[in-house]
Every structure is written in structure tokens, then in C-alpha cells.
Amino acid sequence: MLRQQKFGVEPWAIRETGLNLDDLGPAESVFALANGHIGLRGNLDEGEPFGLPGTYLNSFFEYRPLPYAEGGYGYPETGQAVVNVTNGKVLRLMVDDEPLDIRYGDLRSHERVLDFRSGTLTREFEWVSPAGKAVRVRSERLVSLAQRAVAAIRYTVSAVDQPVLVVVQSELVANEEQPSAVNDPRVEAALHEPLRPAGHFLDDSGVTLLHRVERSGLRMAATMAHDIDAPDGFQVHSSAHENLGRTTVTCRLLPGRHLRIVKHLAYGWSSQRSLPALNDQVRAARSVARYYGFEGLLDEQRRYLTDYWSSADVEIEGDPQLQQAVRFALFHVLQAGARAERRAIGAKGLTGPGYDGHTFWDTETFVLPMLSHTAPDAAADALRWRQAILPEARARATQLGLSGAAFPWRTVRGTECSGYWPAGTAAFHINADIADAVIRHVQTTGDADFERTTGLELLVETARLWMSIGQHAPAGGFRIDGVTGPDEYSAVADNNLYTNLMAQRNLSGAVAACERHPGGAGELGVDADELAAWRDAAEAMVIPFDDKLGVHAQSEGFTSHAPWDFAGTPADRYPLMLHFPYFDIYRKQVVKQADLVLAMQLCPEAFTPEQKARNFAYYEQITVRDSSLSAATQAVIAAETGHLDLAYDYLSETALLDLGNLAGNTEHGLHIAALAGAWSGVVAGFGGLRPLSTGLALSPRLPQALTRIAFRLRWRGRCLLVEITHEQAVYRLLYGDDLELRHHGEPVTVPRDGSATRPIPAPEAVEPVHQPAGREPLARRIRSGQPGAGLV
């Protein structure tokens, strides 16, 4: 079992005892709270010290220039970067005449707890000022999953052993100073004072600040109000300025007495609504928060999460640390998308500014499959956001001389923000990834209305793109040349197998959806000839295969490339993209992240079991996992091909990626797709879940280290509980009608309000597979005392 020194191991919480000032940044990401609309990093209440201050509103951004040493046609001229908005977390504390700063005086104790069942961050500490005055502080923070615009903090200060005069300054702070950016392409430069004052108001209930950002034209409002419980004689004063709102509470505390402040926050933004309307909106949300009170908001939060866990929980026996990590992952993925409501789910969620807050293909490929099975409304809304940015995607396709829609490789609000075209513009597989998420969501939910109103248009426009990119070659077959697949170390390749298989799935799925909804297809201009062309292209799709080696080729000619010198590449030269020229990387057999292996997970029917085993062994020895997205996929296919202990190691790596800061960049936000991959590693890996066109198929098996896993998932109006031991699998319907599924290929009927039990066949012996030198799963390397690795 991996040993995690920083956080205690417990099943439903992350607990930090003590405080390491050198490690504030990663902890702020781990302890972040969000609801898909608002994100609050886990900064200390006093505001300082900090690793990286951050308060975010989903899709609230500013433009920034994208400079090029040498420009080219179709290069994006501007990028988009998430803005650190008005910070309402700050509660500065004066004890007598000294500010409470944990860097001074004596910090006797300090504990923080992130609770997955209450959705709260609780902090308790005792501090003695340099003058010897002791106070005990308890802070409880939540971002409401039930009230989308609301966050709240309950802050309690108690005198310990002698009277003290305390002053709490509760603030709204705009344009906080940000730390200097580092020289790393994974970390984007912070914008300098992007918020322009647009109004500030002080009323009997609280303080409101209005701001806009200049180039994007977006407007926002933030407001705060307080409920105060204090000894008689306390004083309150509030003020408002352009970039600062402050409420000051002063009182004298005798030993054992306390001052308690409940701070209610509300946030809103818009590209269309006026500032007065936003002002009214957030003040109304603030009023609702005060109506409920902190306990009322907390009760709502617990009910919301109880409902979520009832159909999403994963139980793991045999590894308490993995159990904690998987629930941590499930909690943060929910926070990233729960109330996004037709806005993007970014690669970092709302936990940090990494990647400028952009959304990539990994949302559809890793995050949405999990949400479709656990929080389907959030998955549907994420795809409705893709539909909302179709105008930009169509315009991009037109600019590139293509038909249909060309979705951006990275974006905040729909326009392409990638300045590196081999890994951006050429990575057209994002279109098929979006289509795949639509197909899987409809399979999982059976939601025909969603398919008709949202999915159909996405499938049609993405299918049209493939017809303008690909071609029927004179020698036969439908080719898609000059594209980049998931493996960004093999750019601008011909017939990338992943891209071709996913495009095939896209085309076939579009045909099927149009046949189910002929009226909607007609409104989109689809006719019989276009449907026939899609069918023909799908049936003729080129699937590269190396007959000599007996494996599928990642792309045409890939298996003929020179091998990478893994033995001569030391550990400190990873990730390769930061230490070697792309020219060298692109023409060698070295894989950044699972590419063909991911195709085997998402398109399982395209491969025989023997092909999967040979492919996995071949690509395992050249995959370096310079991406955090890889380990989850390798876990799934390792389990499917019988390498159960290896799958366990890969699952541990993806689940513990942020709790252990294994990539060294958790400070800039959590890896939301990798966290969702932890769910896949359990459910699709050891559970063997494959949602096929014919229904659910499961092939469960456990590694030796685990004695039992259980998971819940939603499927077409049902909730299925799957319990797996080494000997048997039990399928139980928690609600819904009878369910037909396949267990290791055999049909099983699970009755309504009942269960079905089936034995698990013994696994066949397999030959070990090998990784490049020094690139074994991090779980194994940490156990052996080897250094960690760079991941992006």
C-alpha cells in the first residue's frame, strides 16, 4: 500500500493535521470547494500566507494575446484565460493589537478536514500571539450544491485563558496579487488586474462589488452579508470601495466566550445581462442564503450528497488509502460539474488556474462517462454546452476549409485557444470524442429527448467534418490523413487508429440517430445521399495493422519508426516534451499517453481478445505516461488482458495523483480527468464494465491486494449495485425494472428489487508485460524508493 504522509487515511474525508507552509499550494487545490459555477481554493481564512489565491466563476475569462515567432493561416490570434475573481473567503483576525498570522507567534495545533458527505471544509486551530494571547478558531466553509450562486463560511473565535480584544475584518477583495508565473508551458501567466471596477454598494444587509473585464466584456457581481453572534457591546462597521468591501466586527472576549460570524456570499456573471440586473441577482441569492442560515444550507448540502452517494459510491476493501482516494475523486468530479449548467467542465475544474482554465477532449472521454452513470443531468448539461458553442465550431471549420463543425482543442467559451497546431488544430479526434460522449450518454440514460434536441445536431455536424477531412482512396478504404491522436508524441500522422475508429463510431452513430429522428435530421439538412455516404465511409474506414508484428499500428508506419532510447533517458529528462525537440520525439516509437490502448477501451468490439493482449504488451513497452490521462486507461486494459496486479498499480497512480502530488503540479489545480479515471479504473477495469449497443456487459475480477469492491451505477432509469469478491459477483437492483446484462459473456437477468449471483471464472495465466526503463507505474516506483515523474 502506498504511504501518504501528509493526509490521514479515512474513508469519507481528507484530514490534514499540522501545517506545512512549503506545501500550501497543493493543499489549496485538494481542499478546494466548488459546485460547477463557483470555485473556492482552499486558502487560509486570513488570506495569508498562500500558495496561490483563487476564486473562480465557471467560464468567466479574459482574452490575452497569443504571440507567434512565425505566424500562419488559421492560427488563433487570441487566447482565453480564467480570471481570479473577487475573493470573498478572507476573514482577517486581530488579537489585541496583533494580526493573526500563522507564520508568527505559536501555532499550537492546526487541522483541516474535507468531508465528502457534508461537502464542507472545516478548519480548527489554536494560536498564541507573540504577546502571549491565545485564541481558538473554528472555520466551516461550503459552496452550495443546492443554491448555485451561494457560498458560506461560519467563523468562530474563542478566547482561551485570558481576556482578548478581537477584531475580524471580513472582506471582498478584487485583483489580488498573484505569484509570478514559472517557466513551464503547463502553467499559464496570471493576468494583471483584469477586473475593472463598475460599481460598489453598501446597504443595511451587506456589501456588493461589481466588475467587468475589458476585452471579453463579461460582467460580474459579488456580495456578502453577515449574521453575528457575539457578547454584548460588540461593534460592526462596513465600507465599500472599488476593489474592496469590508465588514469589521470588534468585541472583547472573556475566557471561554466566543465571537461567531456567518458570512454569506453570492456570485453571478453574464455576457448579456446588465450590471444592475446582476446586482439584483446576487443580492437576491444572498437573501436566500440568509433565509436558510448556515445550518439550513448545510442540511441541503448533506441531502444533495446523500442522494449522490446512493447511486455513485464505490466501496473498496483491502486498501483503505485507495478507498479514500477514489471517494476523493468522485467528490471532486461532482464538484467540477454539478451546477455547471450548460457551461464547460475544465481540465482543472474550478480548483486552480492550470491550463488557463481550458476545457479539452478529456472532459468527454474521461469525465462524462462517469457522470452519465452517476450524475446524468450534469453530463447532459456539459454536452448542451458543446451544442451552444456550435456556431464557433462551424466558423472554425469554415476557416479551415472544412464542412460541419471543428470543435476547439482547448477553450473556455468556444473559440480555439491552442497556439500549437500539431497538437491542437490537427487533433480532430475531439469531434469524435464529443460524438462518443453523446452516444454513450444516450445508451446509459435512454434519454430520447436529449438525443433529439441536443445529441442529434452534435452527431450530424461532427460526422460532416469527417467527410471533408477523409477520403476514399483509389486503392480502397476511407483514409483520414495528417491528424494527431491522443498521443501527442506522434503528431500529424496518417490514419491514426484511434481517430479512425472513433470517426467510424461517430459516422455510424450519426446514421442511427438520424434514422431514429428523421424529422430532426431533415431540419438539419440531412438527406438519404448524405446518410449513405456516412455508411460507406464507416464501412470502408482504414484500420492500420502490422502483419509482421501481429499488432495494430497506432498510425500508418508507426511500427516502422526507430525505437526511443529509453535506457539512455534518465528520470529527470521526463516529461520528454520539456527536454527533447519535438522533431526527435515525433519520428520515434515513444508514446506520451495511451492512444491505441484507449481505442481498445472505447471501441472494444473492433478487437479480438488475442489482439488486445498483443497490442497491450507491445504498446506497454513504449508508453512513458508523460500525461496524467494515461494510467487510468492502462489500468482498464491491463485488467481486461489479465494483468490484474499491474492494473491495481495503475489505478493507484491515477487515484493518488493529486493527494500525493505525484505530478508535482497539483498547486495549479486538480487533474479532473485523471480523477474521473479512478472511477473507470475500478468500474471498467476490475468491474469490466462495457456499455455496448446491446446493453450492459461486465467481466469482473479482482487483484490479489483487494478482497471486495462494490459500485453503483445508473442505467436507463435503474440503479445497479455490483458487489465483487474473488469468488463471485452479486448484481442487485436498488431501484428500477428488471435488467438484462451479460456476465463474462453469459446472459443474466437481475429482477426488480432483487439480485443475481454468478461465479467469477478463474483468470488465465498471462506473460508479464514490461514498461520502458524507469517508467513503471508510480505505485511500484514509490514502493521501491525511486523518484516521481513529470506528468501534465
Side-chain angles (χ1 to χ4, degrees):
M1 184 179 73
L2 286 176
R3 296 294 178 185
Q4 174 54 259
Q5 299 300 318
K6 180 174 181 180
F7 303 115
V9 176
E10 52 189 283
W12 286 101
I14 300 296
R15 186 181 304 273
E16 176 195 63
T17 302
L19 190 66
N20 183 352
L21 294 182
D22 295 328
D23 208 20
L24 284 176
E28 289 165 355
S29 298
V30 167
F31 288 126
L33 294 177
N35 64 5
H37 171 57
I38 304 169
L40 306 182
R41 280 178 63 80
N43 305 114
L44 302 181
D45 302 276
E46 298 79 41
E48 295 182 17
F50 57 76
L52 186 67
T55 303
Y56 310 106
L57 295 177
N58 192 339
S59 300
F60 191 81
F61 75 98
E62 178 60 305
Y63 289 111
R64 64 176 182 83
L66 285 177
Y68 298 97
E70 183 175 346
Y73 178 79
Y75 283 23
E77 295 181 359
T78 57
Q80 299 171 346
V82 67
V83 170
N84 178 32
V85 301
T86 308
N87 182 4
K89 302 186 297 289
V90 177
L91 289 144
R92 304 190 193 277
L93 176 60
M94 295 280 291
V95 178
D96 280 356
D97 59 351
E98 296 182 282
L100 192 158
D101 188 320
I102 59 173
R103 293 169 291 192
Y104 306 100
D106 179 17
L107 187 64
R108 289 178 175 173
S109 63
H110 193 281
E111 181 177 86
R112 287 189 285 183
V113 180
L114 179 69
D115 191 310
F116 310 147
R117 289 182 289 193
S118 64
T120 56
L121 174 63
T122 302
R123 178 181 176 224
E124 293 188 74
F125 65 95
E126 186 170 314
W127 179 79
V128 182
S129 73
K133 297 296 182 72
V135 291
R136 187 175 295 117
V137 178
R138 176 180 172 86
S139 169
E140 302 158 272
R141 183 186 299 177
L142 66 82
V143 174
S144 177
L145 293 162
Q147 303 295 328
R148 182 172 182 262
V150 167
I153 303 168
R154 182 160 60 187
Y155 191 79
T156 305
V157 184
S158 302
V160 176
D161 52 12
Q162 54 185 308
V164 293
L165 180 69
V166 297
V167 180
V168 176
Q169 294 172 310
S170 177
E171 296 180 350
L172 288 174
V173 186
N175 292 317
E176 295 173 286
E177 183 178 351
Q178 295 283 304
S180 299
V182 298
N183 185 25
D184 187 325
R186 297 169 293 182
V187 183
E188 301 294 345
L191 297 174
H192 179 67
E193 296 189 358
L195 299 175
R196 300 289 185 260
H200 54 278
F201 304 96
L202 178 64
D203 59 48
D204 292 340
S205 298
V207 178
T208 304
L209 301 184
L210 307 180
H211 286 87
R212 58 181 177 81
V213 282
E214 187 171 346
R215 290 181 290 276
S216 70
L218 303 182
R219 297 173 287 278
M220 67 154 292
T223 191
M224 67 176 181
H226 303 83
D227 294 326
I228 300 168
D229 176 17
D232 293 341
F234 73 92
Q235 294 182 354
V236 180
H237 173 73
S238 295
S239 61
H241 308 279
E242 288 185 338
N243 287 323
L244 176 65
R246 178 183 291 140
T247 293
T248 302
V249 182
T250 305
C251 74
R252 181 168 295 279
L253 295 178
L254 299 177
R257 300 297 300 274
H258 68 260
L259 163 65
R260 177 172 293 131
I261 300 173
V262 175
K263 182 175 187 176
H264 301 285
L265 296 164
Y267 288 90
W269 74 266
S270 179
S271 61
Q272 298 179 345
R273 302 183 68 217
S274 67
L275 286 166
L278 284 172
N279 180 32
D280 291 345
Q281 174 190 335
V282 297
R283 291 173 67 178
R286 184 186 73 187
S287 178
V288 169
R290 297 191 73 184
Y291 172 80
Y292 277 101
F294 193 88
E295 283 297 328
L297 292 172
L298 184 57
D299 288 344
E300 279 194 318
Q301 191 88 329
R302 287 177 174 142
R303 285 193 295 271
Y304 188 104
L305 287 166
T306 296
D307 180 65
Y308 171 67
W309 291 115
S310 71
S311 58
D313 189 26
V314 171
E315 301 170 51
I316 297 174
E317 295 181 8
D319 188 339
Q321 187 180 35
L322 183 61
Q323 170 70 90
Q324 177 191 44
V326 170
R327 284 192 175 128
F328 170 81
L330 289 166
F331 176 72
H332 267 294
V333 174
L334 175 71
Q335 286 201 128
R339 302 302 304 274
E341 297 179 5
R342 307 194 185 193
R343 291 178 184 154
I345 298 176
K348 300 296 184 181
L350 295 169
T351 66
Y355 295 118
D356 269 354
H358 291 164
T359 297
F360 297 77
W361 68 289
D362 39 303
T363 294
E364 280 73 25
T365 301
F366 294 88
V367 177
L368 296 196
M370 181 200 131
L371 290 178
S372 289
H373 283 292
T374 60
D377 289 345
D381 272 341
L383 289 167
R384 292 187 183 104
W385 170 72
R386 288 292 188 184
Q387 184 184 30
I389 64 170
L390 266 171
E392 291 86 351
R394 290 190 184 102
R396 179 65 168 162
T398 298
Q399 182 186 32
L400 298 174
L402 303 172
S403 301
F407 280 97
W409 178 242
R410 56 186 299 173
T411 191
V412 175
R413 289 284 302 281
T415 57
E416 180 61 77
C417 295
S418 175
Y420 186 65
W421 67 269
T425 299
F428 288 104
H429 69 82
I430 188 170
N431 268 42
D433 300 323
I434 293 166
D436 178 66
V438 168
I439 294 166
R440 291 178 187 277
H441 184 74
V442 173
Q443 282 181 344
T444 301
T445 63
D447 191 341
D449 287 340
F450 169 83
E451 183 179 56
R452 177 179 53 81
T453 60
T454 299
L456 181 65
E457 187 175 21
L458 289 169
L459 290 169
V460 165
E461 296 295 358
T462 50
R464 284 171 170 160
L465 181 87
W466 298 117
M467 299 308 296
S468 60
I469 290 178
Q471 59 159 331
H472 287 278
F478 188 81
R479 301 178 57 85
I480 302 176
D481 294 335
V483 298
T484 300
D487 172 28
E488 295 163 10
Y489 285 175
S490 300
V492 197
D494 293 343
N495 292 307
N496 169 254
L497 181 139
Y498 175 90
T499 301
N500 284 21
L501 279 178
M502 294 293 281
Q504 182 183 59
R505 180 170 170 80
N506 188 167
L507 292 163
S508 299
V511 170
C514 287
E515 290 176 343
R516 286 191 292 270
H517 306 284
E523 292 174 3
L524 295 170
V526 180
D527 58 23
D529 290 342
E530 190 168 26
L531 289 177
W534 293 348
R535 287 193 197 93
D536 291 345
E539 291 171 1
M541 191 67 67
V542 171
I543 307 299
F545 190 83
D546 187 323
D547 293 310
K548 183 178 179 180
L549 294 174
V551 298
H552 285 87
Q554 182 171 285
S555 58
E556 274 188 350
F558 178 83
T559 50
S560 299
H561 291 175
W564 185 269
D565 180 14
F566 296 109
T569 307
D572 61 3
R573 301 297 296 278
Y574 290 95
L576 298 181
M577 66 179 189
L578 298 183
H579 300 95
F580 295 91
Y582 273 116
F583 172 73
D584 197 20
I585 295 171
Y586 284 164
R587 61 200 186 99
K588 299 287 180 63
Q589 286 193 65
V590 57
V591 177
K592 178 182 180 183
Q593 63 201 75
D595 186 309
L596 186 144
V597 173
L598 180 59
M600 294 195 297
Q601 177 185 344
L602 300 183
C603 304
E605 295 160 307
F607 306 87
T608 67
E610 294 76 19
Q611 289 172 340
K612 289 178 182 177
R614 288 197 302 270
N615 288 342
F616 182 67
Y618 185 86
Y619 286 94
E620 187 72 358
Q621 64 188 342
I622 60 174
T623 300
V624 296
R625 290 186 346 282
D626 280 352
S627 166
S628 62
L629 300 177
S630 196
T633 300
Q634 289 171 275
V636 171
I637 301 302
E640 182 176 354
T641 55
H643 303 279
L644 294 170
D645 292 337
L646 177 61
Y648 171 61
D649 286 340
Y650 278 134
L651 171 61
S652 298
E653 177 177 312
T654 195
L656 290 161
L657 179 66
D658 286 313
L659 285 177
N661 194 17
L662 301 184
N665 57 12
T666 296
E667 175 179 2
H668 301 282
L670 302 179
H671 299 75
I672 298 299
L675 295 178
W679 178 89
S680 295
V682 174
V683 175
F686 298 134
L689 175 70
R690 298 294 185 274
L692 305 176
S693 57
T694 54
L696 280 179
L698 297 102
S699 301
R701 280 197 179 99
L702 294 186
Q704 287 300 312
L706 303 180
T707 57
R708 173 183 174 271
I709 65 172
F711 56 84
R712 296 150 178 80
L713 54 87
R714 297 187 185 190
W715 178 261
R716 298 181 184 177
R718 306 169 178 89
C719 185
L720 178 69
L721 170 63
V722 182
E723 297 182 83
I724 305 164
T725 64
H726 287 282
E727 295 77 28
Q728 66 181 25
V730 179
Y731 302 100
R732 187 184 310 277
L733 275 173
L734 301 181
Y735 60 77
D737 296 332
D738 294 0
L739 176 62
E740 302 290 332
L741 56 81
R742 301 190 77 82
H743 167 85
H744 284 280
E746 297 298 322
V748 175
T749 299
V750 186
R752 178 186 180 93
D753 298 325
S755 64
T757 302
R758 293 293 184 273
I760 293 177
E764 297 180 3
V766 295
E767 290 293 324
V769 295
H770 303 283
Q771 298 78 38
R775 304 308 287 173
E776 300 84 1
L778 285 176
R780 293 183 177 184
R781 295 166 63 193
I782 290 172
R783 291 189 191 104
S784 65
Q786 297 182 49
L791 299 170
V792 293

